[in-house]
Amino acid sequence: MRVLICLLLLLSALPADADEPKVIKERTSYILNMVDDLWRGESSFAVVTMRVKTEHYTRTMRMEGWSKGKEKTLFRVLEPLREKGTMTLKSENHIYTYLPKTDRTIRLTSGMMMGSWMGSHLTNDDLVKEARLEEDYDALISFEGERDGRNIIEFTLTPKPDAPVVWGKLQLIIMAESYTPLLEYYYDEDMELARTFTFSGMKMLGGMERPAVLRVIPADKPDEYTEFIYEQLELDIPVSDEMFSISSLKRR
Amino acid sequence: MRILTLASRNVRRNWHRSLVTMLAMAFACLIMIFFASLMEGMIQGSERSVVSMNMGDIQIHAHGYRDDPDLYTRIDNDTALVAAIEREGFRAAGRIYGYGLLAAKMASSGVHLRGIDLKQEVKVTELHRHVGSGQWLDESESKGVVLGKKLAGTLGVELGDELVFVGQSSDGYMANELFRVRGVLKSVSDGIDRMGMFMPMQTLRNLLVIPEGVHEIVIIRPDRTTDLSAETARVEALAEGLEVKNWKQLMPVIARMIETADVQIMIMLVIFYIAVATVVLNAMLMNVFERIHEFGIMKALGVSPWQLVALVFAETFILTLLASIVGLAGGWWVSDYYRIHGIDLSSMAESIAYGGIAFDPLWYAAITTEALVYPVLFLFIIAAVAVIYPAVKAAMLRPVKAIYFR
């Protein structure tokens, strides 16, 4: 009898204990979603300049992009002339590239996912995985408070056991007040720093202050970088699904 | 006493017995020659599969290229270097490489591109003879490419089909071009089969914007018997500041396999020779022991023991000589047949691969002086050794005992 009561007590005590982490978890994912939605509402349109600097070349590209939901993205190159009209379509988990020079559309295979996207320091895989932080990683707030004179929150994201990711862990550092991202560190499977994302250049974009410059710096080549500069951003605009079909790539 | 005359008469008189003995020896000789050529052929064949097909004897790269093959790690003074190496009596060819994505219809695959200096490459490797269907590259068709066997299968393309290539050129822009399947290779090596895409050098230079320099120089020795390490050192002296490695250093696993195959073959040959020796020994023993009665009579007629030994040896010599001529001719003929036609092993396995190198499923014999001379020499030695015991025994016989020896 006493055993039963003990058990009952234990059982009733369990949910109360579980409540605490749940609140934390909710807060964590709330903030992460806020960060995620900075550049992307339900749908978006953006004009971005990409600058790639490597040891061997520096190149600048301007492109326009549309997105809808988390799964659909379309980029079209505006400049330089040589590549004008090149399109990248991300739909579900596939990436298609339309190449005006040969007038062909190619679906990238899984083997190409670690290849560079348009000669930048981002991989095709980054494009596919960009919006899946929540699905592939377990997030937890690893630091909150003052660092380098700024009030920040630091998240540590570790991949879920069966998640198809190539990183060992991610660290995301945001401003505590505005939830503006400052830095993002990517660590490889040996927990060595692989690359750093920095966010800067706050300006009015899509009706609020957002960092307009995103810079990617590979850890093994500190002199190289890829920079994305947002010129224009419109959120929650009507975008038709039609746009993200393979057939639309050819028609444009 | 004219021993040789007597011996040859003896051989003729007992021609039936002599014939059987000779046939046994000739057959043994033939088999030994054939076996030796087959084994030699196997070694040469594997070395050919590794070296002549694609690797070359010696390769030159810029330092660091083999660990991290990037577009920019190039050998700059390639034309001068190739010319200098050729002046030294070698044959050399430059190659450039690249990576990218190749798509056909709706299938696509990562590819490893190779730009080939068509004039030079044919002097160095045998790739151009290894085309399974279609044709080898040609300057006249700059967009015609040759694919690895499995790659063509992955993409599901046939000759004449269109291919779309996408990659990144060395100036950071997208490289994009349409190609046409001109040929498909037979199995070469794992890497080439799965990802190999070959095109004329200039086509790849334009595609990936590599105006000059090469990633690799492949060298072959015209004389395969020279010492590889010494030749490597000679090339090293010419290629200053570059990495020079021979195929044994580049593929230690395969090299070791071929070296141990050498030892294995020696062991097999020894076992085989012992088997042959017993056949010869048996034939010679019978030959002498059958005639002890006859020897007894000869001794009774006053033939000295030494003369008798000499006689037996002379007979043996004549028999062996005839047998070896027949065996040599037969062995040579059989080996030559298989040197040209080869033994087709493809029924047993589609392609024989070891350590990522595909070996030719046709097993050709290779005739070397050693393969011809050693079996004949061995036959003489065996016959001489085999006949010592019976000859001495005959010489020691007491005539009366020998006459009644039955």
Side-chain angles (χ1 to χ4, degrees):
Chain A
M1 195 69 222
R2 190 176 296 169
V3 175
L4 253 180
I5 289 168
C6 277
L7 267 178
L8 277 172
L9 277 173
L10 263 178
L11 279 173
S12 58
L14 272 176
D17 270 355
D19 258 6
E20 193 62 31
K22 209 168 160 191
V23 169
I24 294 176
K25 208 171 154 54
E26 269 175 8
R27 176 170 177 245
T28 311
S29 59
Y30 168 75
I31 300 176
L32 276 182
N33 279 328
M34 289 283 294
V35 174
D36 254 352
D37 290 342
L38 262 181
W39 289 273
R40 183 187 39 232
E42 265 313 296
S43 61
S44 73
F45 167 77
V47 178
V48 182
T49 298
M50 178 172 88
R51 284 189 62 213
V52 181
K53 180 180 176 295
T54 72
E55 191 190 336
H56 303 283
Y57 56 85
T58 303
R59 60 180 299 213
T60 308
M61 275 169 86
R62 255 180 98 235
M63 48 199 159
E64 53 185 0
W66 293 263
S67 79
K68 185 163 187 177
K70 287 197 167 188
E71 297 297 348
K72 293 180 174 147
T73 316
L74 176 71
F75 281 110
R76 185 166 66 172
V77 177
L78 301 168
E79 285 167 36
L81 210 55
R82 202 172 131 178
E83 306 208 343
K84 190 182 164 134
T86 303
M87 287 191 270
T88 301
L89 168 68
K90 189 199 103 181
S91 174
E92 308 305 313
N93 284 337
H94 298 307
I95 292 187
Y96 302 89
T97 302
Y98 168 77
L99 300 137
K101 184 181 172 186
T102 51
D103 189 29
R104 296 287 183 281
T105 300
I106 288 179
R107 199 191 104 193
L108 295 189
T109 50
S110 52
M112 295 297 292
M113 283 303 163
M114 294 321 288
S116 147
W117 179 67
M118 298 263 191
S120 71
H121 290 95
L122 288 179
T123 62
N124 294 308
D125 187 65
D126 292 325
L127 229 60
V128 171
K129 298 275 164 59
E130 64 161 341
R132 304 166 64 92
L133 287 185
E134 274 252 86
E135 283 170 45
D136 292 337
Y137 295 90
D138 288 316
L140 118 141
I141 296 178
S142 47
F143 180 84
E144 224 171 327
E146 187 128 343
R147 191 186 282 175
D148 304 328
R150 281 184 302 201
N151 211 354
I152 59 136
I153 303 174
E154 179 193 83
F155 293 90
T156 300
L157 302 153
T158 44
K160 290 180 177 168
D162 51 359
V165 292
V166 293
W167 306 110
K169 69 167 182 190
L170 270 52
Q171 275 185 335
L172 174 65
I173 292 160
I174 63 168
M175 304 277 277
E177 295 85 17
S178 57
Y179 293 160
T180 307
L182 288 170
L183 289 162
E184 199 168 357
Y185 296 109
Y186 283 75
Y187 293 85
D188 64 19
E189 277 147 335
D190 305 327
M191 293 301 165
E192 296 279 329
L193 183 65
R195 61 186 190 186
T196 309
F197 283 36
T198 62
F199 301 84
S200 59
M202 296 298 287
K203 74 175 207 194
M204 281 299 280
L205 278 171
M208 82 180 248
E209 287 275 320
R210 299 168 210 264
V213 182
L214 159 64
R215 186 182 268 215
V216 186
I217 304 154
D220 55 346
K221 296 173 188 147
D223 301 338
E224 300 194 355
Y225 63 82
T226 294
E227 205 166 59
F228 295 90
I229 303 152
Y230 278 80
E231 291 174 24
Q232 220 185 313
L233 178 71
E234 289 168 35
L235 294 177
D236 304 319
I237 47 162
V239 179
S240 80
D241 278 13
E242 198 47 26
M243 215 168 169
F244 305 100
S245 67
I246 303 167
S247 51
S248 78
L249 287 177
K250 286 214 166 161
R251 272 206 308 274
R252 296 178 150 270
Chain B
M1 186 168 166
R2 287 162 308 176
I3 298 246
L4 269 180
T5 325
L6 197 58
S8 61
R9 269 188 203 160
N10 272 341
V11 169
R12 259 175 311 171
R13 193 167 49 86
N14 274 318
W15 73 267
H16 212 141
R17 189 182 52 214
S18 305
L19 192 69
V20 170
T21 313
M22 278 194 300
L23 276 179
M25 291 206 295
F27 182 69
C29 183
L30 183 152
I31 291 288
M32 281 196 294
I33 289 174
F34 182 46
F35 188 77
S37 338
L38 270 186
M39 287 299 151
E40 189 57 42
M42 191 171 88
I43 292 187
Q44 282 185 14
S46 3
E47 204 166 302
R48 189 176 52 234
S49 293
V50 177
V51 174
S52 329
M53 188 54 67
N54 171 47
M55 286 274 305
D57 280 314
I58 301 164
Q59 294 192 345
I60 305 178
H61 299 97
H63 279 291
Y65 182 79
R66 286 195 312 119
D67 298 329
D68 178 19
D70 86 28
L71 282 178
Y72 310 96
T73 316
R74 295 194 288 257
I75 302 165
D76 291 326
N77 54 346
D78 57 295
T79 336
L81 187 54
V82 166
I85 291 166
E86 296 224 313
R87 274 199 299 278
E88 286 284 318
F90 297 100
R91 297 196 299 266
R95 294 168 175 174
I96 51 176
Y97 291 103
Y99 291 93
L101 177 76
L102 190 65
K105 298 165 192 148
M106 261 339 253
S108 61
S109 162
V111 282
H112 190 196
L113 308 174
R114 184 191 293 180
I116 288 185
D117 180 344
L118 295 179
K119 277 200 287 295
Q120 292 290 73
E121 187 83 22
V122 291
K123 295 194 275 179
V124 178
T125 59
E126 291 181 7
L127 272 173
H128 58 284
R129 284 195 232 139
H130 212 62
V131 179
S133 60
Q135 299 162 287
W136 182 237
L137 303 168
D138 194 87
E139 294 286 3
S140 66
E141 197 195 357
S142 63
K143 300 282 187 283
V145 296
V146 170
L147 301 180
K149 189 173 161 186
K150 287 182 189 154
L151 176 62
T154 310
L155 297 172
V157 288
E158 284 160 19
L159 294 181
D161 284 0
E162 176 191 270
L163 301 163
V164 189
F165 173 81
V166 189
Q168 204 190 324
S169 51
S170 68
D171 59 0
Y173 286 95
M174 297 276 271
N176 178 219
E177 193 61 75
L178 291 176
F179 291 101
R180 214 183 55 77
V181 184
R182 183 179 164 91
V184 177
L185 289 173
K186 294 180 203 162
S187 195
V188 179
S189 69
D190 193 41
I192 291 178
D193 291 354
R194 276 188 312 106
M195 295 181 76
M197 178 178 176
F198 298 73
M199 57 182 73
M201 175 107 57
Q202 197 51 49
T203 308
L204 188 53
R205 284 199 190 286
N206 299 343
L207 180 69
L208 298 183
V209 199
I210 306 171
E212 57 202 5
V214 294
H215 294 121
E216 183 176 79
I217 293 177
V218 183
I219 300 164
I220 206 132
R221 323 168 262 179
D223 178 5
R224 303 222 47 82
T225 54
T226 49
D227 177 39
L228 187 60
S229 325
E231 301 289 272
T232 312
R234 270 176 63 203
V235 174
E236 227 160 7
L238 296 170
E240 213 156 304
L242 297 166
E243 181 190 67
V244 179
K245 290 246 188 278
N246 59 44
W247 70 271
K248 288 187 176 176
Q249 295 162 317
L250 293 166
M251 310 206 94
V253 177
I254 304 272
R256 222 184 345 262
M257 180 193 90
I258 291 178
E259 275 163 23
T260 50
D262 237 350
V263 176
Q264 284 170 11
I265 287 167
M266 283 301 298
I267 293 169
M268 283 180 72
L269 271 178
V270 166
I271 292 171
F272 195 78
Y273 275 24
I274 289 170
V276 169
T278 50
V279 171
V280 175
L281 193 72
N282 186 39
M284 295 313 303
L285 275 177
M286 296 316 301
N287 202 350
V288 171
F289 278 120
E290 254 196 344
R291 296 163 52 199
I292 283 195
H293 173 75
E294 185 184 323
F295 289 144
I297 293 171
M298 285 173 80
K299 285 198 80 166
L301 290 173
V303 176
S304 79
W306 283 118
Q307 283 176 323
L308 204 54
V309 169
L311 180 72
V312 171
F313 267 91
E315 278 180 39
T316 310
F317 178 75
I318 291 168
L319 285 179
T320 316
L321 190 68
L322 291 171
S324 66
I325 289 168
V326 173
L328 184 66
W332 199 326
W333 180 74
V334 171
S335 304
D336 199 56
Y337 178 85
Y338 283 105
R339 181 180 65 80
I340 295 159
H341 299 279
I343 300 169
D344 194 355
L345 301 173
S346 55
S347 56
M348 285 193 253
E350 176 61 31
S351 68
I352 302 147
Y354 182 91
I357 297 276
F359 289 94
D360 200 345
L362 272 177
W363 182 3
Y364 295 97
I367 299 174
T368 58
T369 327
E370 286 90 352
L372 294 173
V373 171
Y374 286 160
V376 172
L377 271 179
F378 181 74
L379 198 67
F380 274 95
I381 292 166
I382 285 288
V385 170
V387 88
I388 287 174
Y389 172 69
V392 168
K393 198 169 166 67
M396 304 289 247
L397 277 174
R398 302 239 301 283
V400 179
K401 237 189 162 161
I403 289 168
Y404 288 107
F405 185 87
R406 270 281 176 262

